[in-house]
Amino acid sequence: MQDRGTEEPVRLGLPHPAVGLIFSMLLAVWTTQALEMSVGKIPFLEAVNGSTVMLPCSYSSCIGIKNLYFNWQFNQNGTMQKVCESVIPSADVVVSDVSIFRDRVEFVGKNDHNNVSILLWNITFEDGGYYTCFGRNPKEKGKNHSAVFHLIVVDEVRVVDNTLPTIIAAAVGGAIALIMGFMLLKNLTLFVLSKLEEKNKECLVTLSGIDNTDNGISGSKADSKPTPKKK
C-alpha cells in the first residue's frame, strides 16, 4: 500500500515575477515605439460654405518609418471613401507622388515635419463630415493607427453673443467682492472694538487705584501710619 503522506505536493507552473516585469518593460517599449497619427488638439473645424480649409494630420514614431503607407478617407453615409493615398519611403524623402481620388483635394503635407495634411478647395455642404487619417508602418511589423477629423460646413460663421454670460459673470463677481468687503469691514470693526474695550478696562483699573488712595481705604498708602509707642 502506497504511503500518501510522502507524496510531493502539486506545484502550479506560475511564472517568476521577473518574467512578468521583463514582459511589462518590453510592452512599454513597444508602446512608445508605436506609430501614431494625430489631427491636432482640436479635431474639428467649422468652416463657411465655399471656403478653402486644411485638414491637418501628422505622424510620429520613435523608431522611425520605412515605406510608411498613409491615406485619407471620408465617411459618406457610413461608407468609407478614399480621398488620397501614398507611401513615404523614409522620413527625409519629400512626398510628391500622391494619388487623389476626390475633386478639389490637394496634398500639402510634403512630409515636412511628418506632415500629411490635405487642402479642400471651395468646400460644399456635401464635404462636411468625418475624415480619417490612416497610417501603417512596415518597420513596426505593420503597426497602424488612425485619427478622425470632423469638418462642419455652415452658411456663415455664427457669432456667439456673450452679453448674458458677461452680465452674469459681472454680477457674480460684484456679489463676491461685496461679501468680501463686508467681511473685511466686519473683522476690522470687531478688532477696533476689542482694542477699545481693552483700553477701557485698563483705564478703569487705573482709576480704581487712584480712588482707593485718595479715600484712605485699608490697604492703601493713607493707612500707613506708625504705631504709637507705649510709655
Side-chain angles (χ1 to χ4, degrees):
M1 185 174 181
Q2 186 178 2
D3 186 5
R4 296 184 178 274
T6 60
E7 290 182 356
E8 289 289 336
V10 178
R11 300 181 181 275
L12 298 176
L14 296 177
H16 193 275
V19 177
L21 179 61
I22 294 174
F23 178 76
S24 299
M25 293 176 63
L26 291 175
L27 182 61
V29 172
W30 174 254
T31 303
T32 57
Q33 293 176 346
L35 174 69
E36 181 179 1
M37 310 299 288
S38 173
V39 292
K41 295 181 179 180
I42 304 177
F44 64 89
L45 174 66
E46 187 175 278
V48 179
N49 180 33
S51 62
T52 298
V53 298
M54 183 181 71
L55 306 186
C57 184
S58 61
Y59 66 87
S60 61
S61 175
C62 293
I63 64 174
I65 64 166
K66 183 178 180 180
N67 295 327
L68 171 69
Y69 169 79
F70 75 90
N71 66 36
W72 277 92
Q73 300 178 63
F74 175 61
N75 187 347
Q76 187 170 25
N77 299 324
T79 301
M80 301 302 294
Q81 295 187 350
K82 195 175 294 184
V83 177
C84 69
E85 68 176 358
S86 184
V87 175
I88 305 176
S90 61
D92 56 350
V93 174
V94 177
V95 180
S96 58
D97 185 16
V98 180
S99 300
I100 306 295
F101 306 99
R102 192 179 177 92
D103 294 336
R104 299 173 286 102
V105 174
E106 178 184 356
F107 179 75
V108 294
K110 309 299 182 184
N111 202 32
D112 181 25
H113 300 294
N114 302 345
N115 189 0
V116 290
S117 304
I118 59 175
L119 274 182
L120 298 184
W121 291 87
N122 301 323
I123 60 174
T124 64
F125 291 105
E126 288 74 19
D127 294 323
Y130 293 91
Y131 292 79
T132 300
C133 180
F134 172 85
R136 182 174 61 247
N137 188 15
K139 192 173 182 179
E140 298 180 47
K141 296 182 179 180
K143 183 70 177 180
N144 62 76
H145 189 251
S146 62
V148 179
F149 190 86
H150 188 197
L151 175 63
I152 306 169
V153 182
V154 296
D155 282 326
E156 58 183 9
V157 178
R158 291 171 294 180
V159 179
V160 180
D161 186 5
N162 294 323
T163 304
L164 182 59
T166 302
I167 294 175
I168 295 176
V172 172
I176 294 175
L178 183 61
I179 293 173
M180 292 180 63
F182 174 76
M183 295 300 295
L184 181 62
L185 181 61
K186 177 182 177 181
N187 292 335
L188 180 61
T189 303
L190 293 176
F191 176 77
V192 172
L193 291 177
S194 64
K195 289 298 182 181
L196 290 176
E197 186 176 358
E198 291 178 1
K199 189 173 182 180
N200 289 336
K201 287 182 180 180
E202 293 177 358
C203 183
L204 290 174
V205 171
T206 303
L207 291 175
S208 177
I210 294 175
D211 291 343
N212 290 340
T213 302
D214 293 340
N215 295 330
I217 298 176
S218 177
S220 65
K221 292 182 179 180
D223 293 331
S224 301
K225 295 180 181 180
T227 304
K229 295 182 181 181
K230 296 182 181 181
K231 293 182 180 181

